[in-house]
Amino acid sequence: MKVYLDNAATTKTDDAVIQAMAAAMAETFGNASSVHGFGRPARQAIEKARRQVAALINAQPEEILFTSGGTESDNLALVGVAEAYRRKGNHIITSQVEHHAVLHTCEHLEKLGYTVTYLPVDEFGRVTAEQVEAAITDETILVSIMYGNNEVGTLMPIADIGRVTRAKGVLFHTDAVQAAGQVPVDVVADQVDLLTLTGHKLHGPKGCGALFVRKGVRVAPQLFGGAQERGIRPGTENVPGIVGLGVAAELAGARLAADGNRRMRELRNYLLKGILERIPEVKVNGHTMERLPNNVNVSVKFIEGEGMLLSLDMVGIAASSGSACTSGSLDPSHVLLAMGLDHATAHGSLRLTLSHETTAEEIDYVLEKLPAIVERLRGMSPLWQAAQSKLGEEVACARQNRAGCACPYKG
Amino acid sequence: MKVYLDNAATTKTDDAVIQAMAAAMAETFGNASSVHGFGRPARQAIEKARRQVAALINAQPEEILFTSGGTESDNLALVGVAEAYRRKGNHIITSQVEHHAVLHTCEHLEKLGYTVTYLPVDEFGRVTAEQVEAAITDETILVSIMYGNNEVGTLMPIADIGRVTRAKGVLFHTDAVQAAGQVPVDVVADQVDLLTLTGHKLHGPKGCGALFVRKGVRVAPQLFGGAQERGIRPGTENVPGIVGLGVAAELAGARLAADGNRRMRELRNYLLKGILERIPEVKVNGHTMERLPNNVNVSVKFIEGEGMLLSLDMVGIAASSGSACTSGSLDPSHVLLAMGLDHATAHGSLRLTLSHETTAEEIDYVLEKLPAIVERLRGMSPLWQAAQSKLGEEVACARQNRAGCACPYKG
């Protein structure tokens, strides 16, 4: 059995998306900037996709810029706003748990003379609107707080932050790469000024994303060339990618409208409950309620995530031990550390992320395989053995309820 | 009949490319950075494509970076080198006929304190290696001269420039977006240090390009995020796009190996000859010999390119009156002006660009339709009528060969 539970890294491209992209390549191959019969349908296809993407987040079509993906959108939002509003101020506020596309861009901006506040998060990975408000100074031009965390799935209080930033006259960007399509996103209700999304996280194409830029908000271009995308994002338009993103956005919106991803959320809860019932000494990472509906993130204590990944892979289960962008790295997740986990617990993290295509049978398969894998790995772990003897002592102590017991676990 | 002669704007995606991309989307959809059974095939697909692209230009696979297209590759080459070698100098040399992805990026660099020399070109649109050599100073870090011009098809003396730059210890970037796949490109023989190419100009995907960076040459990243593409180009890899680019590069290489695009070149010559035979007062733009094999660019005097485009479009022929990136603009082509054309002649330019799929029947159709279109448009042109009466005077004068004739055309 093959079970794909790494949908936060990337999603399976929807068949309808593949078909639409193949058709766009075969039939609408013209350059959208060409003023002839091969170019016009390409232009129309792009504008249709712009409406589809706008509809998913309650934006206007002309507020959608197409880019090469989430990383470029985040970079364009941050550096583009920083440059365009440099005369207003030089201060940016973000959080410690953002994706590296935001964090590393902020570090780049610090080198250029901007000041960045990296807000700490609570144990669930959340910042509050009050924290944001308290951090705003006369120099603040931009707040960038992600919508939903890519590792632990925690949802940030976006509407609250939007209320604060709008009231203070500060621009608000949110990286909604993980949230768009998973939960209802409304840039008007949430008072968001810039929003990043990308195709491949919502069963659309890789290599194509979008940046919502609210009307009136200025963004300095970061690439130079032709006049495409209102001169803000030059380069021959990726018509098939844009078409695919449009179809994916429409399908994601339809799924949200149908059941609000309730079925996926229930399966996710079933998976998490099953893990907690079957495996002792597991810590749930992230918020239990304010959470993306597809995300499970647990720290399986006394073993390492990498070992679990390899063992799961051998039985056909694809998972992640952190964000895909940092896999291969031995550093523990910056998100988990910011949430206060110690290195050992952070290293034992396992992320399982569902899609609307995930089945109960697949979850049952994981619940069948994972406990045995954990047991085997713990059997090889000196940390686990040491802990077991302590646990054994605790159990014995509790059973006997001996007076005068010196063990730290005495009830 | 539908005739697509705008292949310099973009090409029809090859069926094999579409199939490979559709398969990559359906079957190799994993994140190439994921360490599981869905990620590994994606990684392998990318590395295969890297070898395919490298082979087209005689590079090593590890010298190929994948980007979102030609504009990003040009930007990364110029700004990336400018930043990385800032301590060595601040001078860049380019030409007046580059694509806007190079020219506008150079203008951006000027704002950042760099000095840029924009070399003039001869009437054919060429710079010489001697011009480049004479412009190099102790401050020069980079020369960026395009391989083949996107408007007039003129090939630059790349190997000569490579010899000069390598001897002087100056880096050499070439925008080979139009040339790659059209003519044999060899980065070793030509002593090129950085080279831009893109998928959609060689029957591959839109939204995916590459930058060749010779081993040892440093390029400062222009996007910040994950560690993809050796940290130089972050963002989840566009696996289907990269796969498509690889297939397109291999197919283009095979066509070059088969006949060096001889058939296309002959059809191009047939088209140009046909136009010159059938339409009076036509000026050929660009070099006659040192020219991309798919390019025809002519100025049809006394009328405007836009009128020809619209009339050709009405009979199903797709052409261009300049680069697609500037269409919709009323400014005459910067390339034609740099070659010394007056505004009126530049405005009358018509670009017809073939592909290997172009047929003799399609060319015959153009040669049937275009002369009538030109005649009709000239019939409405006061400039043409004025010129005709002058021409008439000249002919009469020559025939009569009258002594004492005051007309300027007297033989």
Side-chain angles (χ1 to χ4, degrees):
Chain A
M1 196 171 192
K2 290 271 180 203
V3 181
Y4 186 71
L5 289 180
D6 201 11
N7 287 282
T10 197
T11 55
K12 184 173 192 310
T13 319
D14 198 290
D15 284 343
V17 170
I18 298 176
Q19 281 164 32
M21 289 178 69
M25 286 191 269
E27 295 152 27
T28 323
F29 69 85
N31 189 315
S33 298
S34 295
V35 289
H36 52 55
F38 292 80
R40 283 188 299 270
R43 168 61 51 204
Q44 288 160 6
I46 288 177
E47 299 315 324
K48 179 182 176 188
R50 214 184 292 279
R51 293 191 295 274
Q52 290 169 314
V53 172
L56 181 65
I57 58 170
N58 194 26
Q60 300 299 312
E62 60 271 28
E63 295 175 322
I64 301 296
L65 286 177
F66 291 113
T67 70
S68 68
T71 292
E72 188 188 342
S73 290
D74 280 343
N75 275 256
L76 178 56
L78 272 77
V79 187
V81 164
E83 273 186 25
Y85 292 86
R86 182 66 187 84
R87 294 174 91 175
K88 182 169 179 273
N90 76 339
H91 181 228
I92 293 162
I93 298 168
T94 187
S95 83
Q96 292 177 359
V97 298
E98 300 295 312
H99 189 275
H100 284 145
V102 167
L103 286 180
H104 289 339
T105 305
C106 284
E107 290 158 13
H108 169 69
L109 286 169
E110 286 184 289
K111 287 184 196 148
L112 298 181
Y114 293 86
T115 306
V116 181
T117 299
Y118 300 89
L119 294 175
V121 295
D122 65 15
E123 62 182 302
F124 305 114
R126 273 167 72 97
V127 296
T128 63
E130 291 70 33
Q131 279 177 281
V132 172
E133 189 165 24
I136 292 175
T137 71
D138 290 347
E139 285 287 320
T140 309
I141 49 179
L142 179 68
V143 170
S144 181
I145 301 287
M146 68 203 316
Y147 207 111
N149 188 275
N150 50 307
E151 295 191 34
V152 296
T154 298
L155 291 165
M156 294 288 195
I158 296 300
D160 294 343
I161 297 170
R163 209 171 302 123
V164 165
T165 49
R166 190 64 58 87
K168 292 269 192 180
V170 170
L171 293 176
F172 178 28
H173 166 252
T174 185
D175 175 346
V177 158
Q178 294 289 339
Q182 295 281 334
V183 292
V185 170
D186 184 324
V187 291
V188 177
D190 289 346
Q191 303 189 62
V192 167
D193 298 299
L194 303 107
L195 180 144
T196 293
L197 61 83
T198 192
H200 78 102
K201 305 286 193 191
L202 38 79
H203 303 276
K206 291 180 174 64
C208 187
L211 180 65
F212 157 76
V213 182
R214 190 169 62 83
K215 225 172 289 179
V217 172
R218 284 173 291 126
V219 175
Q222 298 303 309
L223 286 173
F224 306 93
Q228 292 93 346
E229 296 297 281
R230 295 188 278 129
I232 299 174
R233 209 293 181 178
T236 298
E237 293 92 339
N238 177 2
V239 183
I242 290 169
V243 164
L245 176 55
V247 171
E250 186 167 313
L251 291 172
R255 286 193 296 272
L256 274 172
D259 81 337
N261 286 327
R262 188 181 53 82
R263 194 191 137 276
M264 182 168 69
R265 189 187 306 266
E266 287 171 1
L267 264 187
R268 188 272 312 271
N269 293 345
Y270 173 65
L271 172 60
L272 180 56
K273 191 159 165 279
I275 290 173
L276 295 174
E277 284 170 359
R278 285 166 181 77
I279 307 174
E281 294 288 313
V282 167
K283 178 189 179 332
V284 179
N285 296 319
H287 203 282
T288 41
M289 303 304 294
E290 296 295 326
R291 188 182 194 100
L292 291 168
N294 73 338
N295 176 291
V296 167
N297 191 310
V298 290
S299 281
V300 181
K301 294 187 185 172
F302 309 110
I303 55 176
E304 303 235 322
E306 291 297 311
M308 283 186 281
L309 280 201
L310 293 174
S311 302
L312 287 168
D313 184 41
M314 288 181 69
V315 295
I317 300 168
S320 170
S321 62
S323 76
C325 308
T326 54
S327 53
S329 155
L330 291 177
D331 297 333
S333 147
H334 68 284
V335 173
L336 297 176
L337 295 186
M339 288 161 60
L341 269 69
D342 59 62
H343 278 231
T345 311
H347 268 303
S349 80
L350 177 69
R351 183 182 73 179
L352 299 160
T353 44
L354 290 70
S355 84
H356 65 282
E357 293 186 325
T358 305
T359 64
E361 291 67 38
E362 291 176 335
I363 299 299
D364 284 333
Y365 181 74
V366 174
L367 290 176
E368 176 200 327
K369 295 294 180 189
L370 183 59
I373 288 169
V374 169
E375 199 176 332
R376 186 173 55 79
L377 291 171
R378 280 180 171 169
M380 301 186 293
S381 160
L383 290 172
W384 174 250
Q385 283 149 17
Q388 279 303 96
S389 56
K390 269 204 282 185
L391 278 172
E393 203 175 321
E394 179 182 11
V395 170
C397 176
R399 278 191 190 144
Q400 297 171 20
N401 199 19
R402 269 190 301 163
C405 168
C407 89
Y409 308 110
K410 198 180 161 224
Chain B
M1 197 170 190
K2 292 271 181 203
V3 180
Y4 186 71
L5 289 179
D6 202 9
N7 286 284
T10 197
T11 54
K12 184 173 192 309
T13 320
D14 198 288
D15 285 342
V17 170
I18 298 176
Q19 282 165 31
M21 289 177 68
M25 286 191 268
E27 296 151 27
T28 323
F29 69 87
N31 189 315
S33 298
S34 296
V35 289
H36 52 56
F38 292 81
R40 282 188 299 270
R43 168 62 50 204
Q44 287 160 5
I46 288 177
E47 298 314 325
K48 179 182 175 186
R50 214 184 293 279
R51 293 192 294 273
Q52 289 169 316
V53 172
L56 181 65
I57 59 171
N58 193 27
Q60 298 301 311
E62 60 271 27
E63 295 174 322
I64 301 296
L65 286 176
F66 291 113
T67 70
S68 69
T71 292
E72 188 188 341
S73 289
D74 280 344
N75 275 255
L76 178 56
L78 272 77
V79 187
V81 164
E83 274 186 24
Y85 292 85
R86 182 66 187 83
R87 294 173 92 176
K88 181 170 180 270
N90 76 339
H91 180 229
I92 293 162
I93 299 168
T94 187
S95 84
Q96 293 178 359
V97 297
E98 300 295 312
H99 189 275
H100 283 145
V102 167
L103 287 179
H104 289 339
T105 304
C106 284
E107 290 158 15
H108 168 69
L109 286 169
E110 286 184 290
K111 288 184 196 149
L112 299 181
Y114 293 86
T115 307
V116 181
T117 299
Y118 300 90
L119 294 175
V121 296
D122 66 15
E123 60 182 306
F124 306 113
R126 274 167 71 97
V127 296
T128 63
E130 291 70 32
Q131 278 176 281
V132 172
E133 189 166 23
I136 292 174
T137 72
D138 290 346
E139 285 287 319
T140 308
I141 49 178
L142 180 68
V143 170
S144 181
I145 301 287
M146 69 202 316
Y147 207 111
N149 188 275
N150 50 308
E151 295 191 33
V152 297
T154 298
L155 291 165
M156 294 290 195
I158 295 300
D160 294 343
I161 297 170
R163 210 171 302 123
V164 164
T165 49
R166 190 64 59 87
K168 292 271 191 180
V170 170
L171 293 176
F172 177 28
H173 166 252
T174 185
D175 176 346
V177 158
Q178 294 289 338
Q182 295 281 334
V183 293
V185 170
D186 185 325
V187 292
V188 177
D190 290 347
Q191 303 189 62
V192 167
D193 299 299
L194 303 107
L195 180 143
T196 293
L197 61 82
T198 192
H200 77 101
K201 306 287 192 190
L202 38 78
H203 302 276
K206 292 180 174 64
C208 187
L211 180 66
F212 156 76
V213 182
R214 190 168 62 82
K215 225 172 291 178
V217 172
R218 284 174 291 126
V219 175
Q222 298 303 309
L223 286 173
F224 306 94
Q228 292 93 346
E229 295 297 281
R230 295 187 278 130
I232 300 175
R233 208 295 180 176
T236 298
E237 293 93 340
N238 177 2
V239 183
I242 290 169
V243 164
L245 176 56
V247 171
E250 185 167 314
L251 291 172
R255 287 193 297 272
L256 273 172
D259 81 337
N261 286 327
R262 188 181 54 82
R263 195 189 137 277
M264 181 169 69
R265 189 187 306 266
E266 287 172 1
L267 266 185
R268 189 274 312 272
N269 293 344
Y270 173 65
L271 171 61
L272 180 57
K273 190 159 166 277
I275 290 173
L276 295 174
E277 283 171 359
R278 284 165 181 78
I279 307 174
E281 294 287 316
V282 166
K283 178 186 178 338
V284 179
N285 297 320
H287 203 281
T288 40
M289 302 305 292
E290 295 297 325
R291 189 181 193 102
L292 292 168
N294 73 337
N295 177 291
V296 167
N297 190 311
V298 291
S299 282
V300 182
K301 292 185 186 174
F302 309 111
I303 56 176
E304 303 235 324
E306 291 296 311
M308 282 186 281
L309 280 201
L310 293 174
S311 303
L312 286 168
D313 184 41
M314 289 179 67
V315 295
I317 300 166
S320 169
S321 63
S323 77
C325 309
T326 53
S327 54
S329 156
L330 291 176
D331 296 333
S333 148
H334 69 284
V335 174
L336 297 176
L337 295 185
M339 288 161 58
L341 268 70
D342 59 63
H343 277 231
T345 310
H347 269 304
S349 81
L350 178 69
R351 183 184 72 179
L352 299 161
T353 43
L354 290 70
S355 84
H356 65 281
E357 293 186 324
T358 306
T359 64
E361 292 67 38
E362 291 176 335
I363 300 299
D364 283 333
Y365 181 74
V366 174
L367 290 175
E368 176 200 327
K369 295 294 180 187
L370 183 60
I373 287 169
V374 169
E375 198 175 334
R376 187 172 55 77
L377 291 171
R378 280 180 171 170
M380 300 186 294
S381 160
L383 290 172
W384 172 251
Q385 282 149 19
Q388 279 303 96
S389 58
K390 270 206 281 186
L391 278 173
E393 203 175 320
E394 179 183 13
V395 170
C397 175
R399 277 192 191 142
Q400 295 170 23
N401 200 18
R402 271 188 301 164
C405 168
C407 89
Y409 309 110
K410 198 182 159 220

